[in-house]
Amino acid sequence: MAEQTYQDAPLHEHRSLWMDVWLAFRNHKGALVGVGVFAFIVLAVLLGPFLHGIDPQYLDIQARNAPVSWSHPLGTDNLGRDMLAQMLAGGRISLAVGFTAMLLSLVLGTGVGVLAGYFKRLDGLLMRSTDLFLALPLLPLLLVIIMLFRDTLRAALGPETGIFLLIVFVIGITSWMQTARIVRGEVLAIKEREFVTAARSIGTRERRIVARHVLPNVMSPIMVSATLGIANAIITESALSFLGLGFPPDFPTWGRLLFDGANFISITPARVIWPGLAISLTVLSVNYIGDGLRDALDPRLRGT
Amino acid sequence: MPTEPAMANAPVHSDSATPVLLEVENLAKHFPIMRGVFRRQVGSVRAVDGVDFQIHERETLGLVGESGCGKSTAGRVILRLYDPTAGRIAFRGEDIGGVRGESLRRLRQSMQMVFQDPQDSLNPRMTVGSIVGEPLVEHGVAKGTALDERVDELLNAVGLSARFANRYPHEFSGGQRQRIGIARALALEPEFIVCDEPIAALDVSIQAQVVNLLQDLQERLGLTYLFISHDLAMVRHIADRVAVMYLGKIVELAPSDELYREPLHPYTRALMSAAPVHDPELEAARERIILTGDVPSPADPPPGCRFSTRCPMATPECSAREPEWRELRPGHRVACHYAGDA
């Protein structure tokens, strides 16, 4: 055949998919920087408290509103609590909430979107439920959920785990609707493509068609939703904390630090800047990672 | 492309040459039209509306007609990608019109399809090896090294290098992609393949290669084809018998030599006259039959003969009574009141 080229390629070169993805990902500069920044943040919140041994709850009333110094690298707040220690402790919670809530909303949104798009029977029911959730007034709903379940969960699982699960659940089930709508639209387009008909004509089972042909082709919007979802979850958590519905007041999270600091912005602007910067950097780095991953997962953009 | 209709196999002229592989009787597929808030059905598009034919083993039946006449739908209904609205589809004598679930999946092993758009019919996120191997994995035919070997064998059979197994569809040209699609269709060693305009999206030079490949494979593997196309010259080249479709019905079916030499239905004649001839002298003398008007909507086909609204020979009888599906000569059937009179 005159059409053949690449004769020099070895017959069964072992190219695994993930190796290809990694090679392409490595070429995406933004994504690499994102991985670096994100890894730094994660390592800092995990290992930082061991290096910086001050208890975030310790009140050193004589050193309140202290500026940057060796003993308090990011200064202190109006009650003399060490800012760096609070940032590190708060980061653990914020990141954990952000990721878990994002995963929950992603799984829900993708599941609903794929089922609604692929199975026409379910479309009406699922999309009307999505509309229902979109139409619900979220804040009163959150109030009611938290009022009803906070004490029960606290009693059952301990104050921290209980409230963590509750917040993750509340954020997750109130933020999946956009993902569901976007995914459904994409699935509707993908399932009319000829390769899906081809899969059906060779006798591929429906669930394999969804897993092998539909899902990988709706990866891009899912990735974008995921990266935006983390940011959304961190911010919603801080809003809940601000309303007194989230973690208890003595329990630092980035969002709570930010809102607490907002009152003192004229005295100690650093109290707003540091948590704000941490949230922005997390969101930005995750965004870039998602971007790089999306490009790397698409063979057409991957190059050869 | 050869200048003369060179057949790979001797054309099958009589109906009894080889056993019947596929028989279609009065097949219909209507797509409902839904309107309004309550999605009530207000009508239906009669994409295929009463089609009869038989395909014999190792034969190629060409199915021609203009865009929208229902030829692709017919192919897809036969493969049960759509459920037929009415009629009977018999494969090896067994009615497959109502088969579902696991038995339908097993049936798919013996009937495959080659698609029109080689770009769209291959999943862009899968490697060529996994595309070609998918049917084998799905039906549990091969695994591991046996799977790799079979994929290599299939790629070689369609004239591609086994080295391509790790590459992605977007790295190939249209002709190569169509070969990948053919390799996938061959994976389960089917007896019957519906080729749904397999060459329409390709360059002319590549078209001939793909058609020759299909003919080679037919000879080697004893395949039976339903070859759907609007390219009359190509159908003449590959098909043993040809069926002409108009607005959801077959108007004429004959051995391909005979059909091209002496078309009996006025629509077939108009269709033939529209195809250019390769000899400039003959081309200059070619008389074109220009049809007036548009194809009526398949949602509201005309009464009587479907073609009566545009037929140059139409009489009042044509729109009053539907013509019979007559066998005018052995193996040559026409649906026209006046065919063979003149």
Side-chain angles (χ1 to χ4, degrees), chain A residues 84-107:
Chain A
L84 179 59
Q86 292 200 70
M87 286 279 299
L88 296 176
R92 286 188 178 187
I93 315 272
S94 285
L95 285 182
V97 167
F99 262 89
T100 346
M102 174 273 284
L103 280 181
L104 180 64
S105 102
L106 205 64
V107 168

Side-chain angles (χ1 to χ4, degrees), chain B:
Chain B
M1 210 192 299
T3 50
E4 285 302 311
M7 300 289 171
N9 306 338
V12 183
H13 278 291
S14 80
D15 274 359
S16 56
T18 51
V20 174
L21 182 71
L22 182 95
E23 187 168 12
V24 168
E25 263 171 42
N26 198 26
L27 185 69
K29 174 68 195 172
H30 299 178
F31 294 101
I33 307 171
M34 306 289 200
R35 283 255 168 75
V37 191
F38 300 107
R39 316 293 297 153
R40 270 189 317 132
Q41 185 175 343
V42 293
S44 54
V45 174
R46 302 171 170 219
V48 178
D49 200 17
V51 156
D52 302 82
F53 59 81
Q54 296 180 332
I55 305 180
H56 299 266
E57 273 175 41
R58 294 163 170 269
E59 178 196 41
T60 302
L61 178 71
L63 187 56
V64 297
E66 61 199 290
S67 297
C69 70
K71 48 192 196 303
S72 286
T73 307
R76 284 169 190 230
V77 174
I78 291 168
L79 288 190
R80 291 296 317 280
L81 291 172
Y82 300 142
D83 288 330
T85 308
R88 176 168 174 272
I89 310 164
F91 186 72
R92 292 208 169 283
E94 196 188 323
D95 191 348
I96 60 166
V99 174
R100 321 201 152 264
E102 235 358 72
S103 21
L104 179 61
R105 243 169 64 78
R106 268 197 302 279
L107 179 73
R108 299 219 184 276
Q109 295 193 32
S110 37
M111 305 164 83
Q112 288 290 315
M113 182 152 184
V114 175
F115 290 87
Q116 170 172 13
D117 185 348
Q119 165 88 48
D120 205 40
S121 65
L122 306 176
N123 185 342
R125 301 214 172 217
M126 282 166 78
T127 59
V128 168
S130 48
I131 290 173
V132 174
E134 188 182 7
L136 302 167
V137 174
E138 274 306 311
H139 290 275
V141 178
K143 271 187 212 167
T145 41
L147 177 68
D148 286 345
E149 276 166 29
R150 179 78 179 120
V151 168
D152 291 356
E153 202 181 294
L154 286 163
L155 287 176
N156 285 327
V158 296
L160 289 172
S161 162
R163 292 168 217 277
F164 292 161
N166 275 324
R167 300 188 172 272
Y168 287 89
H170 71 99
E171 298 172 57
F172 293 90
S173 68
Q176 287 173 315
R177 283 193 207 132
Q178 196 56 288
R179 285 170 194 268
I180 297 167
I182 294 171
R184 169 176 59 190
L186 292 175
L188 293 167
E189 299 176 342
E191 298 165 80
F192 175 59
I193 296 183
V194 173
C195 306
D196 186 5
E197 308 225 24
I199 51 168
L202 304 176
D203 278 356
V204 176
S205 58
I206 308 296
Q207 285 185 353
Q209 286 183 12
V210 169
V211 165
N212 288 337
L213 171 69
L214 286 171
Q215 284 186 321
D216 283 351
L217 291 169
Q218 179 170 44
E219 226 167 317
R220 278 209 329 257
L221 306 171
L223 299 170
T224 306
Y225 291 143
L226 175 64
F227 192 89
I228 300 168
S229 182
H230 55 245
D231 183 336
L232 293 171
M234 208 48 106
V235 168
R236 180 176 197 178
H237 172 59
I238 192 170
D240 302 310
R241 292 186 304 140
V242 177
V244 181
M245 239 178 128
Y246 181 80
L247 211 61
K249 279 196 177 285
I250 292 185
V251 295
E252 185 163 9
L253 192 157
S256 86
D257 279 355
E258 197 175 320
L259 186 85
Y260 282 82
R261 198 169 359 104
E262 210 187 336
L264 293 177
H265 196 282
Y267 177 65
T268 316
R269 264 183 242 154
L271 209 58
M272 298 288 170
S273 84
V277 188
H278 44 69
D279 183 331
E281 277 173 40
L282 287 177
E283 171 71 17
R286 178 163 66 104
E287 226 177 281
R288 293 211 49 193
I289 306 171
I290 312 261
L291 295 178
T292 50
D294 286 325
V295 187
S297 159
D300 181 25
C305 174
R306 296 274 163 108
F307 188 53
S308 59
T309 51
R310 300 170 76 197
C311 183
M313 305 162 55
T315 61
E317 197 197 351
C318 291
S319 45
R321 196 163 60 84
E322 196 167 331
E324 274 172 73
W325 182 226
R326 293 184 292 158
E327 184 162 16
L328 271 181
R329 293 178 201 156
H332 193 153
R333 289 170 175 273
V334 192
C336 176
H337 296 304
Y338 302 105
D341 289 359

